[in-house]
Amino acid sequence: MYRQLEKYFKTRTEIDDKTLSYISSYFKYKKTKRNEFLLKEGEICKHYYFVNKGCIRLFSVNNKEEEGTKYFYFEDTFGTALPSLINQKASFEFMQTIEPSELLVINRDDYFNLVETVPQFGFVYRQILELAFIKSQERIYCFQGLEAIEKVRWVLTNQARWLTRLSNKMIASYLGLTPQTLSRLKSKI
């Protein structure tokens, strides 16, 4: 159950088995169903998740009831609604498992205790933050100047597995397109 989490740390930092066991002891196993909410808009995020199996979608809903997907967390990644987790203010995002998932869950206090007391955990946390920032910037700058067809090509080139695991509606909400536009453009490529 903790093998993937331990492998995740071993590939990112030098860490001994005793420290890995200590870190793992803070995580609890959670099995979810398809479309199960982990966090709803307006709630305060209190957990960080490591995805052993499945996928978590982070998204928001605008005043026109349109969903905008911010991120997908697949196997071997950490995911949370970071602004709410850090600030402990109401989330403007939802977190939902989009397929049956197996997660390792750590509560906020334990997570930040490990960041402060275990150097390897703090190092990996910094890597997670840096990667999240880079991905956010890439998405902003990359997608701003792209035509719709180029966005679809980007998915085919950089995230091909999305096409087999995610619905057109979810992919379209990430790209800022309608599902109909996405389907039409996919057929042209």
Side-chain angles (χ1 to χ4, degrees):
M1 180 178 352
Y2 296 96
R3 203 171 320 135
Q4 284 175 255
L5 179 67
E6 292 171 355
K7 182 180 175 188
Y8 180 90
F9 277 92
K10 283 183 176 181
T11 60
R12 285 161 178 77
T13 187
E14 198 167 306
I15 191 166
D16 61 77
D17 290 339
K18 183 179 176 184
T19 305
L20 278 174
S21 181
Y22 177 72
I23 290 169
S24 296
S25 72
Y26 283 93
F27 286 82
K28 306 297 179 235
Y29 177 78
K30 180 177 180 70
K31 191 171 188 170
T32 66
K33 297 177 183 172
R34 182 178 182 268
N35 295 327
E36 187 172 320
F37 282 96
L38 303 172
L39 179 73
K40 293 184 179 178
E41 180 182 31
E43 295 176 346
I44 296 173
C45 185
K46 303 218 179 277
H47 299 96
Y48 224 120
Y49 301 89
F50 180 80
V51 182
N52 268 349
K53 180 181 177 191
C55 181
I56 298 172
R57 178 172 75 123
L58 181 68
F59 68 100
S60 60
V61 178
N62 68 20
N63 56 6
K64 296 179 186 175
E65 298 298 314
E66 298 166 331
E67 294 179 358
T69 298
K70 307 293 184 253
Y71 206 78
F72 298 105
Y73 301 103
F74 289 97
E75 288 85 2
D76 300 320
T77 57
F78 275 96
T80 193
L82 203 55
S84 179
L85 184 83
I86 291 172
N87 297 330
Q88 288 296 277
K89 294 185 179 177
S91 177
F92 55 88
E93 299 167 314
F94 294 84
M95 288 185 71
Q96 180 182 36
T97 56
I98 60 171
E99 54 191 39
S101 298
E102 295 177 11
L103 311 171
L104 295 177
V105 184
I106 186 169
N107 72 50
R108 178 189 188 276
D109 292 339
D110 289 342
Y111 188 88
F112 286 114
N113 177 55
L114 289 174
V115 168
E116 294 297 320
T117 61
V118 179
Q120 298 93 329
F121 198 91
F123 176 75
V124 169
Y125 175 61
R126 192 179 85 230
Q127 287 180 333
I128 292 168
L129 289 178
E130 289 170 355
L131 181 61
F133 178 76
I134 289 167
K135 291 291 181 192
S136 174
Q137 294 299 298
E138 283 176 352
R139 183 169 178 209
I140 290 168
Y141 295 118
C142 176
F143 283 6
Q144 275 182 346
L146 292 182
E147 296 292 326
I149 191 84
E150 293 169 319
K151 291 179 182 181
V152 175
R153 282 192 185 109
W154 179 89
V155 169
L156 291 170
T157 303
N158 297 292
Q159 299 294 341
R161 73 175 169 173
W162 288 9
L163 301 172
T164 60
R165 293 188 63 184
L166 304 173
S167 70
N168 271 358
K169 180 182 176 185
M170 288 182 194
I171 296 169
S173 76
Y174 181 86
L175 297 174
L177 306 172
T178 65
Q180 297 80 9
T181 300
L182 177 61
S183 291
R184 185 174 41 80
L185 294 173
K186 279 172 48 180
S187 69
K188 290 182 177 184
I189 297 177

